Amino acid sequence: MASATIERLVAHFDRREQRTVPPLAPKESSVERAAWREQIVNALERLEANGVLDQRDSLENPLTESLVTVAEGTLWEPFAREPGRTRIFGELVFNLADPKRINQGLKGTCGAACIEGYMAERDPAEYARIVTGLVTRDGRATLKSGEELVCDEDVLGPGPLEQGRNPVSRVFQAACMEFAYPNMDYDNVVDGHFDGDENVGSGLEMNAFERLLAAVTGETWKTISVAHTRMASMFSRLGMDTHDVVDIVRDGLSIIDQSTRQGDHVFVTLQLPSVPNPIPGAEPAVLHDAPHKVRVLRIDWTNRSIHYDDPMDPTQSWFDGAEVTIHDAQGHCSMKIDDFLRLMTELSYRPALWKRSV
């Protein structure tokens, strides 16, 4: 039986006859509505049973307070029309109950999707607080860093490139893309950052990703790269002592191992030699030297593989020339260590969790 807290959270669904919330879909049936409500209640019950609803955000408020605000508060005006309170509330609950469902669709938001999955899984109350700020009132959320994440979306209607990405993830990821480059405007429809009228492309470069990661998580992160290693090598040839410089080639595997053994994850950019155009119905094309961000979960030393969450949620291996195993439909994959290290070009980790072996 649902608790009083859960009954309060879903009570607004039962006031549907007041016409304050549009249908989930055109010609939505009462059976479909009942099934949707049951799924939300079941997800809330799992969250309650696991103690997630009582977790506190950075303002020391329980997660339930954020859900109540989404359920009963004033929505960011465009979202009140489409997709509506019921859809936004439900998708947020589902993201919290099953963070692995979070993905990037067919957008170039792999970095933002990795951070979203990390927060929903490891700091759900803070994730809910941020999302609540983005979808209610003036569409703003103050991050742990004191900076603001601002809602950049006006319409959340499904588009072909959204694929399996839900509306809450679209809101979160688009706001992150906007934040990462404060001097540019991100357009989710065309999936590009604009410098004036010029579309300079999608994705997040190393410094932009680290800035976003630190602001959202409130933690200190360090990013190392192949470019840093090459620079250190050049300085070494000039006679400078670079022994204390963290080297992604020499230290990367150790950093991944120590960080994941202590229960944390790291973020890695894999440089793919070639990627076929993933957009259905689009002109056949191949992207060369395409970077892709993944969240590393652990190392399986027995099978000499690295497990990671791929925000693309692939149905088949798409890393050219690498031995990849897809473990489920939600992006849990593993790659042989040698292949992973060969493709790894950037690594973001919490320096407090790594100590170089003497």
Side-chain angles (χ1 to χ4, degrees):
M1 180 179 294
S3 69
T5 299
I6 293 176
E7 287 295 342
R8 178 191 176 192
L9 289 173
V10 299
H12 68 283
F13 299 153
D14 302 323
R15 297 195 296 270
R16 189 64 164 275
E17 64 274 10
Q18 297 178 7
R19 300 181 182 274
T20 57
V21 182
L24 293 174
K27 300 180 180 179
E28 175 195 38
S29 69
S30 59
V31 173
E32 291 170 329
R33 172 166 170 69
W36 177 260
R37 186 186 191 282
E38 183 179 4
Q39 291 172 25
I40 291 175
V41 172
N42 289 341
L44 286 169
E45 288 177 338
R46 293 199 305 273
L47 290 170
E48 187 173 57
N50 293 329
V52 177
L53 293 182
D54 294 326
Q55 290 191 19
R56 303 271 169 167
D57 60 30
S58 59
L59 300 181
E60 290 302 315
N61 296 317
L63 190 153
T64 49
E65 185 168 312
S66 291
L67 294 181
V68 168
T69 299
V70 176
E72 301 177 356
T74 302
L75 282 188
W76 173 231
E77 193 272 335
F79 298 163
R81 299 189 303 270
E82 173 66 40
R85 186 189 304 277
T86 305
R87 175 66 71 184
I88 289 177
F89 179 83
E91 298 289 5
L92 174 56
V93 170
F94 295 150
N95 281 3
L96 290 165
D98 184 15
K100 285 178 62 61
R101 75 193 293 266
I102 292 169
N103 64 77
Q104 68 186 91
L106 292 178
K107 301 290 185 176
T109 58
C110 52
C114 283
I115 293 175
E116 183 187 8
Y118 181 87
M119 291 298 291
E121 181 177 322
R122 308 182 68 81
D123 198 354
E126 184 68 4
Y127 170 69
R129 186 187 71 80
I130 293 172
V131 169
T132 297
L134 293 174
V135 301
T136 59
R137 296 188 180 276
D138 59 353
R140 294 173 178 268
T142 301
L143 303 175
K144 289 182 178 180
S145 66
E147 300 164 285
E148 273 194 331
L149 209 60
V150 180
C151 187
D152 192 50
E153 295 294 275
D154 293 321
V155 179
L156 290 183
L161 300 189
E162 295 299 323
Q163 288 289 91
R165 186 171 71 163
N166 66 72
V168 166
S169 289
R170 173 174 174 171
V171 170
F172 185 95
Q173 292 170 30
C176 285
M177 299 295 280
E178 187 80 16
F179 176 91
Y181 291 106
N183 297 323
M184 290 193 284
D185 178 58
Y186 176 73
D187 186 323
N188 178 73
V189 176
V190 300
D191 189 27
H193 279 102
F194 282 79
D195 185 0
D197 294 331
E198 181 185 3
N199 184 348
V200 298
S202 187
L204 300 178
E205 295 178 343
M206 182 175 68
N207 291 337
F209 175 77
E210 186 176 296
R211 174 176 180 266
L212 173 65
L213 179 61
V216 173
T217 65
E219 300 285 352
T220 298
W221 296 81
K222 180 174 182 177
T223 302
I224 56 177
S225 69
V226 169
H228 291 150
T229 295
R230 291 170 181 163
M231 186 175 297
S233 178
M234 180 184 69
F235 288 154
S236 179
R237 288 196 298 270
L238 294 175
M240 299 178 63
D241 184 5
T242 60
H243 176 74
D244 291 334
V245 176
V246 183
D247 187 309
I248 192 172
V249 176
R250 180 190 63 211
D251 304 316
L253 190 61
S254 171
I255 291 171
I256 293 172
D257 189 37
Q258 290 188 34
S259 298
T260 55
R261 282 181 185 272
Q262 294 177 74
D264 204 9
H265 296 163
V266 301
F267 301 88
V268 166
T269 297
L270 300 173
Q271 195 77 19
L272 309 183
S274 62
V275 179
N277 192 336
I279 301 174
E283 289 293 327
V286 175
L287 303 176
H288 296 285
D289 295 323
H292 182 58
K293 190 78 71 177
V294 300
R295 179 164 55 105
V296 179
L297 310 175
R298 63 183 176 88
I299 298 178
D300 179 354
W301 289 105
T302 301
N303 294 302
R304 297 288 299 175
S305 60
I306 293 179
H307 286 249
Y308 59 92
D309 179 69
D310 185 344
M312 188 67 77
D313 285 0
T315 57
Q316 58 186 4
S317 178
W318 62 290
F319 286 7
D320 188 25
E323 187 176 344
V324 173
T325 300
I326 299 174
H327 296 278
D328 62 33
Q330 294 182 305
H332 177 195
C333 303
S334 63
M335 185 186 298
K336 290 300 181 182
I337 289 177
D338 290 344
D339 287 336
F340 195 91
L341 298 182
R342 174 172 54 84
L343 298 177
M344 181 171 67
T345 58
E346 296 171 358
L347 169 61
S348 298
Y349 67 101
R350 290 172 57 198
L353 300 182
W354 180 68
K355 183 177 180 181
R356 177 184 291 158
S357 301
V358 179

